[in-house]
């Protein structure tokens, strides 16, 4: 059964009758531009053909009833008439509660009650933004159901606010923007200062492969939030608000005298921002060799300077790059400390890569990676007429 079907069936069973609509919002994979978003820089994600489906119908009262079909039909219920509590972290329902609260803060007050059934096929903890796709899907369902005057960017911001206030992760805006604004067959060059997205067409003969390492990210929030704090401190050294205001050409002179750890963090962010702009250019030119070079440099920088990789992931990246050669590249993607490796390569090279990963990689529990050839999807939208699509 597909996630769409599971959401529909769950809805029928628990709330009786049909939902008014079903929406879908995608997960994402970031090609390059890691930890640049909250530093005001650029990143280059694509929305993927995995996502979260929400079946929704308005109620006559102010209750929100939520059914998490994939979590053994776990349920949550709260009222929109009073301030919405955050549950002890971590709790899946905080993402939903957080979106309601954030939309309220954006001015969409007094939302009516609603029944929501949720299902998805983004693996959790795989660095593919299952939580952002949930947040954006909930926002999109409410926008359509209640005709909210909210742009895709506002839904993305509401999702990010939910992470900050209800999930305890001080994330940037990349994941939610990718989920809300994704464009089929395009990467999105995000400018995280102006909050604009420029679609970059992807050549049809390139493959984007996600290799889920099956090392789920543990205690990410604390390590992630710590990196973010370090970036804020380092920005102060340069007398800027956001680290990406420092341009790469000035970095060597402006970083003289910095403590080694601060220097490494800053060097990653400033260098990664420059690489991301070059990568967008390379994609626009159909230049897979340059893109591959930039992706490999990005991985080294995450490993050595930002220090968010792990030895088995480094080995997997090396193995992948060895198979891919010069035409394309592979790197750790997402928030780090586990998750997925992304590879971009010619389509006809995918079977060799998949074979090599199967032979050469096991996670620390001895399990195989999951290799997924992605198609690049559109952002949040209706999932199609009931029962289809
Ligand atoms: C996570 C966050 C994003 C971004 C990436 C790293 O996915 O949610 O905002 O910071 O990590 O690039």
């Amino acid at each position: 059964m597909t996630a769409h079907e599971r959401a529909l069936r769950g809805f029928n069973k628990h709330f009786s009758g049909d939902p008014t609509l079903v929406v879908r919002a995608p997960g994402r994979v970031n090609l390059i531009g890691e930890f640049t978003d909250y530093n005001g820089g650029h990143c280059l994600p694509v929305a993927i053909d995995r996502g979260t489906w929400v079946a929704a119908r308005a109620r006559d009262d102010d209750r929100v009833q939520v059914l998490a079909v994939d979590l053994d039909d776990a349920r949550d219920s709260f009222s929109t008439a009073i301030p919405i509590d955050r549950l002890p972290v971590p709790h899946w329902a905080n993402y939903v509660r957080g979106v309601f609260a954030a939309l309220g803060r954006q001015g969409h007050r007094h939302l009516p009650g609603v029944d929501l059934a949720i299902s998805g096929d983004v693996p959790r903890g795989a660095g593919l933004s299952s939580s952002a796709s949930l947040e954006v899907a909930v926002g999109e369902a409410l926008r359509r159901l209640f005709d909210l005057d909210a742009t895709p960017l506002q839904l993305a911001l509401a999702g990010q606010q939910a992470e900050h206030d209800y999930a305890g992760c001080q994330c940037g805006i990349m994941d939610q923007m990718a989920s809300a604004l994704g464009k089929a067959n395009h990467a999105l060059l995000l400018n995280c200062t102006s909050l604009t997205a420029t679609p970059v067409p992807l050549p049809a003969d390139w493959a984007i492969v996600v290799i889920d390492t099956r090392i789920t990210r543990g205690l990410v929030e604390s390590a992630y939030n710590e990196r973010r704090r370090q970036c804020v401190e380092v920005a102060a050294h340069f007398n800027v608000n956001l680290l990406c205001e420092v341009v790469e050409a000035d970095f060597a002179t402006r970083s003289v005298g910095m403590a080694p750890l601060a220097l490494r963090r800053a060097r990653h962010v400033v260098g990664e921002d420059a690489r991301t702009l070059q990568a967008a250019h390379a994609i626009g030119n159909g230049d897979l060799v340059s893109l591959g070079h930039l992706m490999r440099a990005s991985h080294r920088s995450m490993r050595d300077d930002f220090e968010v990789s792990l030895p088995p992931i480094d080995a997997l990246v090396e193995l992948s790059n060895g198979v891919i050669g010069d035409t394309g590249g592979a790197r750790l993607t997402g928030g780090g400390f586990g998750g997925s490796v992304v590879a971009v390569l010619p389509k006809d090279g995918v079977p060799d890569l998949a074979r090599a990963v199967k032979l050469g990689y096991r996670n620390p529990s001895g399990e195989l990676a999951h290799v997924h050839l992605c198609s690049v999807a559109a952002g949040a939208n209706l999932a199609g007429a009931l029962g289809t699509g």
Side-chain angles (χ1 to χ4, degrees), residues 273-340:
D273 194 43
R275 281 188 291 274
T276 305
L277 291 170
Q278 290 162 21
H281 201 67
I283 295 176
N285 289 336
D287 179 358
L288 197 44
V289 172
S290 297
L291 180 66
H293 179 75
L294 292 161
M295 290 177 77
R296 287 190 290 275
S298 168
H299 183 80
R300 285 194 297 272
S301 177
M302 282 169 78
R303 182 190 64 196
D304 302 337
D305 279 348
F306 218 64
E307 296 176 287
V308 291
S309 189
L310 299 170
I313 296 182
D314 296 334
L316 174 61
V317 166
E318 204 168 308
L319 179 153
S320 303
N321 279 319
V323 180
I324 294 169
D326 284 342
T327 319
R331 54 178 286 279
L332 170 61
T333 184
F337 305 103
S340 294

Side-chain angles (χ1 to χ4, degrees), residues 28 33-35 37-38 171-175 224 334-335:
R28 65 97 188 91
E34 224 66 82
F35 306 99
D37 59 354
Y38 58 70
C171 66
I173 191 64
M174 166 170 71
D175 308 346
Y224 183 90

Side-chain angles (χ1 to χ4, degrees), residues 28 30 32-39 42-43 127-129 131-132 160 163-164 169-176 192 217 220 224 228 268 272 302 306 308 331 333-336:
R28 65 97 188 91
N30 189 24
I32 195 165
E34 224 66 82
F35 306 99
T36 41
D37 59 354
Y38 58 70
N39 286 301
H42 298 84
C43 45
L128 302 175
S129 295
S131 62
Q160 183 194 28
E163 295 272 357
H164 289 186
C169 181
Q170 297 302 312
C171 66
I173 191 64
M174 166 170 71
D175 308 346
Q176 292 80 6
C192 299
R217 307 187 293 150
V220 205
Y224 183 90
R228 183 163 186 171
H268 167 74
E272 184 76 353
M302 282 169 78
F306 218 64
V308 291
R331 54 178 286 279
T333 184

Side-chain angles (χ1 to χ4, degrees), residues 154-361:
Q154 284 166 331
L155 295 185
L157 288 165
Q160 183 194 28
Q161 199 69 52
E163 295 272 357
H164 289 186
D165 298 345
Y166 282 69
C169 181
Q170 297 302 312
C171 66
I173 191 64
M174 166 170 71
D175 308 346
Q176 292 80 6
M177 274 183 84
S179 183
L181 294 156
K183 185 165 177 193
N185 305 320
H186 288 70
L188 288 186
L189 177 64
L190 302 183
N191 177 324
C192 299
T193 297
S194 61
L195 299 183
T196 47
T198 309
V200 185
L202 287 159
D205 54 348
W206 291 12
I208 296 175
V209 175
V210 168
I211 308 171
D212 175 357
T213 63
R214 315 279 305 285
I215 302 174
T216 46
R217 307 187 293 150
L219 291 179
V220 205
E221 272 71 26
S222 55
Y224 183 90
N225 292 347
E226 180 196 56
R227 292 295 185 285
R228 183 163 186 171
R229 260 193 316 276
Q230 289 169 340
C231 288
V232 172
E233 286 162 21
V234 175
H237 169 97
F238 292 101
N239 252 324
V240 293
N241 287 326
L242 295 164
L243 213 34
C244 288
E245 290 169 41
V246 180
V247 294
E248 203 188 20
D250 295 347
F251 185 74
T253 40
R254 291 184 72 178
S255 60
V256 171
M258 276 175 87
L261 180 94
L263 177 78
R264 290 202 301 276
R265 299 296 186 256
R267 189 165 54 200
H268 167 74
V269 172
V270 173
E272 184 76 353
D273 194 43
R275 281 188 291 274
T276 305
L277 291 170
Q278 290 162 21
H281 201 67
I283 295 176
N285 289 336
D287 179 358
L288 197 44
V289 172
S290 297
L291 180 66
H293 179 75
L294 292 161
M295 290 177 77
R296 287 190 290 275
S298 168
H299 183 80
R300 285 194 297 272
S301 177
M302 282 169 78
R303 182 190 64 196
D304 302 337
D305 279 348
F306 218 64
E307 296 176 287
V308 291
S309 189
L310 299 170
I313 296 182
D314 296 334
L316 174 61
V317 166
E318 204 168 308
L319 179 153
S320 303
N321 279 319
V323 180
I324 294 169
D326 284 342
T327 319
R331 54 178 286 279
L332 170 61
T333 184
F337 305 103
S340 294
V341 165
V342 61
V344 185
L345 69 164
K347 273 197 175 139
D348 58 11
V350 174
D352 280 350
L353 175 62
R355 208 170 305 121
V357 170
K358 194 170 171 189
L359 283 175
Y361 175 82

